[in-house]
Amino acid sequence: MVRDTFMKRNRVLATLVLAWVLGFPYAAVRAQIDPRTALLERGAWTELNAGHAHAAAEAFRDALAADPKNPRLHLGAGMAAALERRDADARDEFERALALDPGLTDARLLLGQIQYRMGDVQLAVRTYEILLAQAPDTKDAQATVDRWRREIELHDRMQHAIGSNFTVSFEGPAEAQLAREALEILDRAYFRIGQLLGTYPTDPIPVVLYTTEQFRDITRSPSWAAAAYDGTIRVPMRGALDKREELDRVLSHEFTHALIRTLASRGVPTWLNEGLATALESGDLSWAEARMQHVIGTVPLRALQNGFSRFTGEQAQVAYAASALAAKRLLDQAGGAAIANLLRDLGEGADFDTAFLHRIQRSFADFEQLY
């Protein structure tokens, strides 16, 4: 995302997960034949409730080894996988939970969210149709499926400009030239940023150009958001992007997110993800330096580990500025290849502090203290 935007439609999934965990007092104390299994299950839900997805995943795995036909253990394992962004694993666990208990609406609701996050909107709609037939009063489910249907209808009537590394979808002839220009900008970013980090995406990246209204409806972004990436680069083309240099900046930013996703689909703190994307937009961070001059004290990077969508527009500007300056310093000190390796380690599940020390050759605490 760009420095003045943050798209977090899929934060809904994480919010739902924690809400349901908090609402599962019975899940952790469900009677089990084996007391050890009951203890593992209780510990797994406790870890998930605390946001410790990896520890929860291991605990659910141990509990499932002892009680493989417990649908709520599969549900919990799917939640942990979803928070770690192991989407295929999460999907499989939710499907196993539903095979054992077709009436487990929590699993079906989360399955639809995962299917959508994986890009299968049609399947997500069908999952929610079943959900609504079983539990028509499920909160926000009808509004969600209606929005997904509008997205399908919109994308079905779109045209496409296809390049070697990107596919740009747009609604009509008026946007055709803009789509071609977007392809040119993205190709330049592909080689410039890929060379700096020493890696390139292997699969074509989908890009969709929306009107501002369509973008807000489909992404549910904050009002200050100017673009989004969730596996697809999504850009509102009217109003905010009248200037071509702004289009260049936004698309370069979102491409960086796409490249980061190919290296690590999980485990990347927001400050690093957004900081790299912002630092690599154009290389000019004078705006960030100027913005931070008006901030009293320092902004701890550990306070910027999670999504920025909770921030106001002004708070988001500070978060992006601080993140960009930290990422730029990291690039200058360690180089793009070291950062790419750090991202790979995080994507494989490595602990952040351990991976940072290994790849950057200094502790994160030291780096943050000198920031």
Side-chain angles (χ1 to χ4, degrees):
M1 276 172 212
V2 293
R3 63 175 177 258
D4 56 349
T5 178
F6 187 87
M7 178 285 181
K8 214 50 175 162
R9 173 183 56 206
N10 290 320
R11 287 290 296 171
V12 173
L13 178 60
T15 302
L16 287 170
V17 167
L18 293 180
W20 279 313
V21 171
L22 289 171
F24 280 166
Y26 53 89
V29 296
R30 181 180 178 271
Q32 300 283 345
I33 296 175
D34 180 4
R36 178 177 177 276
T37 303
L39 184 63
L40 287 170
E41 182 174 358
R42 183 161 52 249
W45 287 110
T46 299
E47 293 286 5
L48 195 60
N49 183 30
H52 304 152
H54 187 66
E58 292 182 340
F60 279 118
R61 189 179 301 116
D62 291 342
L64 279 165
D67 189 8
K69 294 188 177 181
N70 182 333
R72 291 202 172 273
L73 288 180
H74 287 289
L75 172 64
M79 290 177 170
L83 289 180
E84 288 194 294
R85 295 203 69 93
R86 294 184 288 110
D87 289 348
D89 292 337
R91 176 199 60 203
D92 293 347
E93 290 294 349
F94 294 143
E95 289 177 347
R96 291 186 186 106
L98 289 167
L100 292 165
D101 182 1
L104 192 57
T105 56
D106 300 317
R108 200 173 302 279
L109 193 150
L110 286 170
L111 175 60
Q113 290 285 340
I114 283 291
Q115 289 166 335
Y116 183 88
R117 194 160 82 177
M118 295 178 73
D120 197 335
V121 187
Q122 293 276 9
L123 188 56
V125 167
R126 290 197 291 273
T127 296
Y128 265 47
E129 287 172 345
I130 297 172
L131 171 68
L132 287 166
Q134 292 178 328
D137 295 331
T138 302
K139 184 179 179 181
D140 297 330
Q142 186 63 60
T144 298
V145 78
D146 288 344
R147 187 171 68 251
W148 289 348
R149 286 171 178 152
R150 290 195 298 273
E151 181 177 352
I152 291 170
E153 292 172 1
L154 171 61
H155 288 187
D156 282 348
R157 67 175 184 260
M158 281 185 160
Q159 301 178 43
H160 308 283
I162 300 174
S164 300
N165 306 302
F166 304 90
T167 299
V168 180
S169 300
F170 55 97
E171 190 166 6
E175 289 80 28
Q177 177 57 39
L178 198 55
R180 288 191 290 271
E181 186 168 349
L183 276 176
E184 294 175 0
I185 291 171
L186 286 163
D187 279 336
R188 290 197 296 270
Y190 178 94
F191 290 106
R192 175 176 64 85
I193 298 170
Q195 182 177 29
L196 190 148
L197 294 179
T199 185
Y200 301 87
T202 56
D203 298 322
I205 298 170
V207 182
V208 183
L209 310 182
Y210 296 105
T211 66
T212 300
E213 294 76 15
Q214 292 165 347
F215 176 80
R216 302 299 175 203
D217 179 45
I218 290 171
T219 67
R220 317 306 284 181
S221 300
S223 59
W224 44 265
Y229 175 73
D230 61 350
T232 296
I233 294 175
R234 303 176 189 271
V235 185
M237 301 309 299
R238 295 179 186 172
L241 298 179
D242 287 339
K243 297 180 180 179
R244 290 301 179 263
E245 58 269 26
E246 179 74 353
L247 179 60
D248 196 321
R249 183 182 70 80
V250 168
L251 290 175
S252 297
H253 186 113
E254 300 305 328
F255 167 71
T256 304
H257 282 310
L259 182 56
I260 291 171
R261 177 76 67 85
T262 67
L263 297 172
S265 63
R266 57 173 172 155
V268 183
T270 300
W271 73 263
L272 181 57
N273 200 331
E274 294 295 345
L276 285 172
T278 305
L280 295 176
E281 288 173 2
S282 65
D284 180 9
L285 292 181
S286 58
W287 68 270
E289 294 168 350
R291 185 67 185 83
M292 295 305 294
Q293 288 178 359
H294 298 284
V295 175
I296 299 174
T298 60
V299 179
L301 295 177
R302 290 192 186 276
L304 302 177
Q305 293 190 96
N306 299 316
F308 295 170
S309 60
R310 65 189 186 277
F311 296 148
T312 65
E314 184 174 349
Q315 290 170 335
Q317 287 181 3
V318 173
Y320 280 105
S323 299
L325 293 173
K328 180 62 165 59
R329 186 161 67 91
L330 194 59
L331 282 165
D332 290 342
Q333 293 179 358
I339 293 176
N341 285 330
L342 169 62
L343 292 169
R344 291 187 181 97
D345 290 347
L346 296 176
E348 293 171 359
D351 171 73
F352 178 80
D353 287 344
T354 301
F356 192 94
L357 177 61
H358 175 57
R359 297 299 184 180
I360 310 302
Q361 297 297 298
R362 67 189 306 178
S363 71
F364 178 65
D366 180 44
F367 175 82
E368 187 176 29
Q369 184 177 15
L370 296 176
Y371 164 65

